[in-house]
Amino acid sequence: MMAPVNITSIKTSSSGAWQGDDPLNYAFPLLIVQTTLILVVTRILAFLFKPLRQPKVIAEIVGGILLGPSALGRNKTYMNKLFPTWSTPILESVASIGLLFFLFLVGLELDLNSIRRSGHRAFSIAAAGISLPFVCGIGVAFVLRKTIDGADKVGYGQFLVFMGVALSITAFPVLARILAELKLLTTPVGETAMAAAAFNDVAAWILLALAVALAGNADGSGGHKSPVVSVWVLLSGLAFVIFMMMVIRPAMKLVAQRCSREHDTVDEAYICLTLAGVMVSGFMTDLIGIHSIFGAFVFGLTIPKGGDFAERLIERIEDFVSGLLLPLYFASSGLKTDVAKIRGGKAWGLLVLVISTACAGKILGTLVAALMCMVPVREAVTLGVLMNTKGLVELIVLNIGKEKKVLNDEIFAILVLMALFTTFITTPMVMAIYKPARGIAMKTHRKLGDLTTNSASNDKKDELRILACVHGPGNVPSIISLIESTRSTKNSFVKLFIMHLVEFTERSSSIILVQRVRKNGFPFFKRSRNGEWRDRLAGAFQAYSQLGRVSVRPTTAISSLPTMHEDICHVAEEKRVTMIILPFHKHWRVEADDEDNGGAHEVLENLGHGWRGVNQKVLKHAPCSVGVLVDRGFGNGSQTPGPDSTMGQRVCILFFGGPDDREALELGGRMVEHPVVRVTIIRFVEEDELNGKNIVLHPSPNANCDQSYSFSTAKMNRQIEKELDEKAMGEFRGRWGEMVGYVEKASENVVEEALGIGRSGDFDLIVVGKGRFPSSMVANLAERPAEHAELGPIGDVLASSGHGVVTSVLVIQQHDVALTDEAPALRVLHGGYDNARGDNDSTSSAKEISSVDNNDIV
């Protein structure tokens, strides 16, 4: 057995291995090793738990348990070397700083005004969801005191309150992340659960303050404390809360106003004073006799919600706190959890009792209250399961209980495992019980050609409904310019749905953003009232909507990137849109040179592969036509067309043939009607037929879909396709005549021809079809290395960097159920035109990629 170590003799840093020092015997090097080990283990576990949709706190607790005495800690050499007893106060002190600031962030997330607006239903559900498990917790406390050795050494009052709190609380931050992950945050169930959890959270902190106040000298270090002291602690805590709300909150409101966007710079003094305020508030509540985290939480409540100041505070501290310091705290909970303390059938029976009582009390209490509030049974059960989420706040309560000697090692281990189990089962149970109704989709105009354009029975054209997605303010000019280009000033009406795409992460700021979205599990479109649009993006589009016959409806979609396409496609179906406009994941912008007066250079912004994946999934699953806009400054400055524009906008449509190119031509027909838009059609005619060449595409199952172009595997009649191309072009030219420029090109090198058009700068926008059922010229590019395969061969050529293309590009994919199945292809060239033509020359097989020019099966 190791001799006790005098912690005052521990030095901060070593002299180094060359001096004969072991760094693990010194405080700071050991802290670095412990932190690194905890972070590596917890991140690996978080990655493993991700397919199960488990919150990160699960991985952090399990990581601590694995590193602690329950698993690896059984090796005493490991435990004494990496987690010696003398290092525990140091590790916990650093972790407590992270906890202090995390609770400040929790206070920032919790909007008291929204709690007041939640109504009696959420309050009733929260009250029942706390009361019944609290009573059950008191009952379990009596059983534990009679059964577990040493449990009766603590006073009844402290032990009963701690057990009641431990079984009755709901972890508001963890619940928010689970709801967002399941896309339930803005459903009626999610909204009610969040409001009830917010009530529950406030009640939990009040009960925790009561429990800490009652804990007193539970460790036996002194005589029994007078009950009057606990009353003074509670009264002092109440006075502290009143002071913070009546004095500090108005002061922080003034600070937030000084740090709004009207001021270009934020005085660092305000940020530093606020961070110091967190520490001072924590010290004051610790001085009072309530835990320091209570002060940090209350101080977070005083910060105005949703403003620039709150966002800047979050940006400064949340990554460091949530990513580095907080995992140390929850891992330290696991390090203190010794599952081996739960010995024998009786102890494991108590664990089952605690888990079943906690689940039954929470679920039944919430269920009964929800049914009394006329909530349907399935939703009521779901609410009960959701409110059973423990996690963060539960562990804080348990750690304080252990610190105050109210909970011994065995009870602490039982309650930690209970918190783990109840949180772990929440996601799978909710997924099994509740699937939100998506509504019955109405019949949609799925492509531009389906819109009636010359119906004699209608006085005006069918309404063009477009869903335009934006990543940020940088996308606004190009989207506005594109939408305006499609709007005739005569009789066309455009309904524009703007969706601001925001990635949901585990950061607190994501939760604050999510709280702005209020309905239907998917983005909710809010109508403007009195012209007041809070969001800057919505404000830009509102200004545009004042130009004329354009109705603009803004929304924000907050989702993880792997499921973002579900939001987009659902809204497209629900709102019956004809086309989705997606911003390309790369964006080019021009910046002025600092050294060269009047000079400028092009800057490429790449949002990353995740956003590229969103576009790929939308292209695959969209219920309507899709356009991907590769922006190189389209719509900046005077290029944006408007009713009073004096400068024309030049649009070029590259036509090779096929359904996607015909959809691009249809869009061009709408652009022609705009008085300041000049449309030019450049049609590439095939020479392969004359040269006796015939190209057939074969499936290439081994090809990488991200690096190889995919083509439709559907049966299509090539002859009919050619006739449709001729008909579409004939009708287009017959209708618009001299209003449209028309050029035919016969070239074997379409890549250089397309690049030449893009480099010339003669056009502001090039529109091209994706080419899933390609002509011979496009199919000839099937084996060309692809940089952006989702854009098709020609779109990729024009969007790729390094070619000197200066024109923005819009790649169009027509919605056609028959073309949805795609696969990479290999090109096969046949020398004789008649050699490959057989009896089945009119169609291509479903096993064959759409062959070109003759559609043979080879």
Side-chain angles (χ1 to χ4, degrees):
M1 184 174 177
M2 286 188 63
V5 177
N6 181 7
I7 194 170
T8 59
S9 67
I10 300 299
K11 294 182 179 180
T12 303
S13 58
S14 71
S15 299
W18 293 110
Q19 303 282 349
D21 286 349
D22 183 354
L24 296 183
N25 292 331
Y26 295 82
F28 189 60
L30 181 60
L31 178 64
I32 293 174
V33 172
Q34 291 173 335
T35 302
T36 305
L37 183 61
I38 289 171
L39 290 179
V40 169
V41 171
T42 55
R43 293 316 268 173
I44 291 173
L45 289 172
F47 176 77
L48 295 176
F49 288 146
K50 193 172 183 179
L52 301 176
R53 295 188 171 186
Q54 294 298 325
K56 193 175 67 171
V57 67
I58 293 288
E60 292 166 351
I61 302 170
V62 172
I65 292 175
L66 292 178
L67 292 172
S70 301
L72 296 176
R74 291 181 178 275
N75 185 324
K76 297 303 179 185
T77 304
Y78 154 85
M79 202 65 181
N80 292 331
K81 197 69 176 173
L82 289 181
F83 293 98
T85 306
W86 62 263
S87 72
T88 302
I90 301 170
L91 179 63
E92 291 188 356
S93 296
V94 174
S96 295
I97 294 175
L99 182 67
L100 198 71
F101 281 97
F102 176 75
L103 267 297
F104 170 68
L105 293 177
V106 172
L108 271 177
E109 290 180 5
L110 202 60
D111 188 353
L112 294 178
N113 292 326
S114 67
I115 294 177
R116 285 197 294 266
R117 292 193 300 265
S118 299
H120 72 280
R121 183 166 79 166
F123 178 77
S124 302
I125 292 172
I130 293 175
S131 303
L132 184 57
F134 190 88
V135 173
C136 292
I138 292 176
V140 169
F142 281 107
V143 176
L144 294 178
R145 284 178 68 88
K146 298 292 185 183
T147 310
I148 295 178
D149 294 336
D152 56 352
K153 293 181 180 179
V154 183
Y156 262 108
Q158 303 97 301
F159 189 65
L160 295 183
V161 173
F162 261 101
M163 286 300 300
V165 172
L167 266 65
S168 63
I169 59 178
T170 297
F172 174 81
V174 177
L175 177 63
R177 283 162 176 80
I178 289 176
L179 288 169
E181 181 70 26
L182 297 177
K183 294 188 179 294
L184 296 177
L185 190 60
T186 51
T187 61
V189 167
E191 201 170 31
T192 304
M194 282 291 285
F199 277 120
N200 200 314
D201 218 29
V202 173
W205 290 112
I206 295 173
L207 291 172
L208 179 59
L210 174 65
V212 174
L214 292 175
N217 292 330
D219 58 356
S221 58
H224 285 291
K225 189 178 58 176
S226 169
V228 177
V229 176
S230 297
V231 174
W232 277 113
V233 170
L234 290 175
L235 290 176
S236 301
L238 181 61
F240 172 79
V241 173
I242 293 173
F243 173 79
M244 295 295 286
M245 292 301 165
M246 300 298 293
V247 178
I248 302 300
R249 193 177 188 185
M252 295 311 299
K253 188 174 182 181
L254 291 175
V255 170
Q257 290 174 350
R258 292 289 302 271
C259 297
S260 62
R261 282 197 171 90
E262 284 75 15
H263 299 78
D264 293 334
T265 58
V266 177
D267 192 340
E268 286 295 319
Y270 291 123
I271 300 292
C272 294
L273 285 174
T274 303
L275 298 181
V278 178
M279 310 291 281
V280 171
S281 300
F283 174 78
M284 291 303 300
T285 49
D286 193 83
L287 181 67
I288 289 170
I290 306 173
H291 201 280
S292 57
I293 60 174
F294 186 75
F297 173 75
V298 174
F299 187 66
L301 293 176
T302 65
I303 307 295
K305 305 299 182 290
D308 297 336
F309 184 61
E311 291 179 5
R312 295 185 189 192
L313 279 174
I314 289 169
E315 288 174 1
R316 299 291 176 93
I317 64 176
E318 87 172 320
D319 284 336
F320 182 70
V321 170
S322 302
L324 181 66
L325 298 182
L326 193 64
L328 300 183
Y329 183 83
F330 297 115
S332 69
S333 302
L335 287 168
K336 289 183 284 188
T337 304
D338 189 358
V339 179
K341 297 286 185 182
I342 308 175
R343 288 190 292 266
K346 183 187 291 185
W348 286 101
L350 288 175
L351 174 62
V352 174
L353 174 67
V354 170
I355 290 175
S356 56
T357 304
C359 294
K362 198 71 170 178
I363 294 173
L364 286 177
T366 305
L367 174 65
V368 171
L371 291 175
M372 291 178 66
C373 294
M374 309 304 291
V375 176
V377 176
R378 191 174 61 143
E379 295 186 7
V381 175
T382 305
L383 274 173
V385 175
L386 289 169
M387 296 298 289
N388 197 36
T389 303
K390 297 290 191 291
L392 299 172
V393 184
E394 171 81 2
L395 284 176
I396 294 168
V397 171
L398 298 183
N399 275 287
I400 293 174
K402 194 171 190 301
E403 179 186 318
K404 299 291 184 182
K405 306 297 183 182
V406 175
L407 307 176
N408 63 21
D409 289 343
E410 186 174 349
I411 296 175
F412 180 79
I414 287 174
L415 293 177
V416 168
L417 292 181
M418 179 270 292
L420 262 179
F421 180 81
T422 54
T423 305
F424 192 91
I425 64 172
T426 299
T427 298
M429 285 188 69
V430 171
M431 291 177 67
I433 296 171
Y434 184 74
K435 293 290 183 183
R438 299 301 189 218
I440 300 174
M442 300 176 66
K443 179 174 175 59
T444 353
H445 291 307
R446 295 182 179 271
K447 54 182 182 287
L448 293 171
D450 292 337
L451 293 173
T452 57
T453 54
N454 51 6
S455 174
S457 59
N458 292 338
D459 294 333
K460 66 175 184 178
K461 295 184 178 183
D462 280 3
E463 180 181 75
L464 176 61
R465 302 166 76 91
I466 296 177
L467 173 62
C469 302
V470 295
H471 296 142
N475 301 128
V476 172
S478 58
I479 293 292
I480 289 179
S481 187
L482 177 60
I483 300 304
E484 176 62 22
S485 299
T486 64
R487 184 182 68 87
S488 167
T489 55
K490 296 179 181 178
N491 58 355
S492 175
F493 187 84
V494 177
K495 194 156 196 174
L496 177 61
F497 299 94
I498 296 295
M499 181 181 283
H500 183 198
L501 306 180
V502 178
E503 180 183 5
F504 177 80
T505 66
E506 294 176 343
R507 303 179 69 188
S508 297
S509 52
S510 293
I511 299 299
I512 292 176
L513 283 171
V514 166
Q515 290 171 352
R516 300 176 185 173
V517 187
R518 290 298 179 199
K519 195 174 181 180
N520 293 337
F522 282 91
F524 175 48
F525 291 88
K526 296 183 179 179
R527 298 180 184 274
S528 60
R529 294 183 178 180
N530 301 322
E532 293 179 359
W533 299 38
R534 296 182 180 179
D535 189 90
R536 286 184 298 166
L537 290 175
F541 284 104
Q542 184 207 22
Y544 165 64
S545 69
Q546 306 302 317
L547 292 176
R549 299 170 63 82
V550 180
S551 168
V552 180
R553 301 281 297 279
T555 184
T556 300
I558 303 176
S559 181
S560 58
L561 293 186
T563 59
M564 181 78 75
H565 69 284
E566 295 176 9
D567 291 23
I568 298 170
C569 293
H570 176 81
V571 169
E573 185 72 42
E574 185 182 59
K575 301 300 178 183
R576 298 176 290 120
V577 303
T578 307
M579 178 172 283
I580 299 171
I581 304 295
L582 298 171
F584 193 49
H585 67 281
K586 294 181 180 179
H587 178 244
W588 286 264
R589 57 185 175 85
V590 176
E591 285 190 353
D593 291 331
D594 295 332
E595 299 177 358
D596 183 15
N597 293 330
H601 63 280
E602 192 177 64
V603 177
L604 172 62
E605 296 177 350
N606 190 340
L607 297 181
H609 190 76
W611 286 104
R612 181 188 180 189
V614 172
N615 287 358
Q616 290 171 330
K617 289 176 181 176
V618 173
L619 286 164
K620 183 175 178 61
H621 299 288
C624 60
S625 294
V626 180
V628 180
L629 180 60
V630 182
D631 182 21
R632 290 190 173 93
F634 182 58
N636 288 333
S638 60
Q639 292 181 357
T640 305
D644 300 325
S645 297
T646 57
M647 180 177 178
Q649 192 174 75
R650 303 157 299 170
V651 177
C652 174
I653 299 175
L654 304 185
F655 190 87
F656 294 88
D660 295 337
D661 285 42
R662 292 196 295 272
E663 189 77 349
L665 196 65
E666 190 75 34
L667 181 65
R670 289 186 165 270
M671 293 180 169
V672 173
E673 293 182 291
H674 199 289
V676 298
V677 177
R678 172 66 176 173
V679 176
T680 300
I681 307 294
I682 299 181
R683 184 179 187 183
F684 289 81
V685 295
E686 300 177 5
E687 291 186 329
D688 288 345
E689 288 184 356
L690 300 177
N691 295 336
K693 294 179 182 179
N694 180 39
I695 297 175
V696 177
L697 299 180
H698 282 279
S700 178
N702 297 325
N704 187 331
C705 292
D706 282 342
Q707 299 174 1
S708 303
Y709 302 118
S710 295
F711 300 94
S712 174
T713 59
K715 284 185 177 181
M716 296 192 73
N717 189 305
R718 171 53 58 184
Q719 190 59 39
I720 292 178
E721 285 297 306
K722 288 185 177 181
E723 293 173 1
L724 290 174
D725 291 342
E726 293 296 336
K727 180 182 177 183
M729 185 59 72
E731 289 179 352
F732 185 89
R733 296 187 65 189
R735 181 174 184 183
W736 304 113
E738 298 299 324
M739 295 176 63
V740 177
Y742 181 79
V743 179
E744 282 193 1
K745 286 183 177 287
S747 173
E748 292 188 358
N749 194 340
V750 293
V751 171
E752 284 304 317
E753 288 285 354
L755 288 176
I757 296 169
R759 292 170 183 150
S760 67
D762 293 337
F763 302 100
D764 302 309
L765 178 68
I766 297 175
V767 184
V768 62
K770 181 180 174 182
R772 290 167 298 162
F773 194 74
S775 65
S776 295
M777 288 176 289
V778 176
N780 207 32
L781 306 177
E783 295 179 346
R784 181 180 181 274
E787 185 177 348
H788 315 105
E790 68 273 16
L791 301 181
I794 302 301
D796 180 33
V797 166
L798 293 169
S800 296
S801 54
H803 293 317
V805 176
V806 296
T807 306
S808 298
V809 181
L810 179 66
V811 180
I812 300 292
Q813 174 183 287
Q814 184 190 68
H815 177 75
D816 193 330
V817 176
L819 300 180
T820 53
D821 293 330
E822 301 177 15
L826 288 174
R827 180 174 63 92
V828 179
L829 183 64
H830 290 266
Y833 178 74
D834 295 327
N835 182 39
R837 186 175 296 278
D839 294 336
N840 297 326
D841 66 330
S842 62
T843 59
S844 60
S845 167
K847 296 180 181 179
E848 190 79 20
I849 295 295
S850 55
S851 51
V852 181
D853 217 28
N854 68 344
N855 298 309
D856 245 2
I857 301 173
V858 178

